[in-house]
Amino acid sequence: MAVLIVEDEPSIADTIRYALETERMVNIWVTTGQQALDALSEGNIELVLLDIGLPDMSGFDVCRVIRQASSVPVVFLTSRHEEIDQVLGLELGADDYITKPFSPRVLTARIRARLRQPQEAANISSAGFSHDADGARIMLNGILLDLSRYEYRLLLLLMSNPGRIYSREQLMQQVWEEPERSFDRTVDTHIKTLRRKIRDISANCDPLKTRRGLGYSFEADA
């Protein structure tokens, strides 16, 4: 999974890429709106960092097309400071609007914040599990799971993307607020506790799968 950078100015793109790579974020750089849409159609894009002034089409138009088919987080990064542009961008479905010049550290922090949040607005049902977004709670077979904050976020991320394998590092970055301060085995410990709490409700329910050497996934039919 990667952050898609849509920026036609090489010097700005280089600054963004360096900031993301310093934070160990995989990224793909394209310079036009059409290239961005083509990259999205191939999958594996986790967030779109989008300029407005592109050579072939407006970033607003790119965002409009993206929102017709995808809920991937979109963050505008642009030199346009006018309030009307910010309002338009957000009304088109963008998740954030950042103006240039920007702080690389603030940029990566806001990207991480968006990557932790995309699934939390949805009510989700899968394999007997149901998510109540308003109540920030998850139930199994109608019974409330007693989850800590990070257990809730971890299970919600996995069940929101059934079949997708997340590495430990990806889970740390998307679930934990300060991943750099957490221990390497924090994810393993939380998965173990989640499995126990799930089995306390349904002894044969085991949707959290370990993918040796890769990470963890949620299997809806497990």
Side-chain angles (χ1 to χ4, degrees):
M1 301 295 286
V3 174
L4 178 63
I5 303 167
V6 191
E7 171 60 63
D8 65 326
E9 291 289 339
S11 60
I12 296 175
D14 286 344
T15 299
I16 297 170
R17 299 192 76 185
Y18 179 78
L20 296 182
E21 288 165 4
T22 299
E23 296 293 321
R24 295 184 293 179
M25 294 185 193
V26 178
N27 64 83
I28 298 171
W29 173 37
V30 299
T31 59
T32 70
Q34 187 57 56
Q35 289 174 346
L37 297 175
D38 291 342
L40 277 165
S41 69
E42 296 174 3
N44 297 325
I45 300 300
E46 202 162 17
L47 180 142
V48 179
L49 199 58
L50 180 61
D51 190 15
I52 293 175
L54 299 172
D56 61 336
M57 59 196 299
S58 166
F60 291 137
D61 291 332
V62 176
C63 183
R64 186 179 291 109
V65 174
I66 290 173
R67 279 294 167 261
Q68 290 174 355
S70 173
S71 60
V72 63
V74 175
V75 176
F76 277 111
L77 181 61
T78 176
S79 58
R80 297 195 185 185
H81 293 252
E82 291 81 3
E83 182 179 334
I84 188 171
D85 290 323
Q86 298 184 41
V87 171
L88 177 58
L90 295 172
E91 287 184 345
L92 285 172
D95 297 87
D96 204 349
Y97 192 105
I98 303 172
T99 56
K100 303 171 185 175
F102 58 91
S103 160
R105 291 186 65 184
V106 171
L107 174 64
T108 55
R110 289 172 75 167
I111 288 174
R112 289 202 189 284
R114 292 300 160 190
L115 290 177
R116 287 195 294 267
Q117 294 175 359
Q119 75 283 357
E120 293 187 3
N123 290 306
I124 301 164
S125 297
S126 181
F129 290 82
S130 58
H131 173 229
D132 172 15
D134 292 335
R137 57 185 183 176
I138 299 174
M139 288 168 282
L140 173 57
N141 299 333
I143 301 173
L144 181 66
L145 282 160
D146 183 15
L147 304 177
S148 69
R149 175 176 54 167
Y150 288 128
E151 289 168 356
Y152 164 74
R153 290 182 177 181
L154 181 57
L155 180 56
L156 180 55
L157 176 63
L158 290 169
M159 66 181 282
S160 299
N161 300 276
R164 175 181 166 182
I165 300 173
Y166 286 89
S167 67
R168 289 183 179 87
E169 182 176 353
Q170 287 175 323
L171 292 171
M172 288 291 296
Q173 297 296 342
Q174 295 196 41
V175 173
W176 271 261
E177 292 179 359
E178 295 183 298
E180 68 279 0
R181 296 188 180 182
S182 300
F183 297 107
D184 291 342
R185 293 297 174 181
T186 296
V187 171
D188 298 343
T189 300
H190 280 72
I191 290 288
K192 182 178 179 180
T193 304
L194 275 171
R195 283 173 172 155
R196 177 180 57 78
K197 292 183 176 182
I198 289 169
R199 287 170 179 162
D200 284 346
I201 293 176
S202 179
N204 296 321
C205 186
D206 184 25
L208 303 180
K209 298 302 181 183
T210 302
R211 303 304 181 188
R212 192 172 299 278
L214 297 174
Y216 295 100
S217 66
F218 182 96
E219 300 298 332
D221 58 352

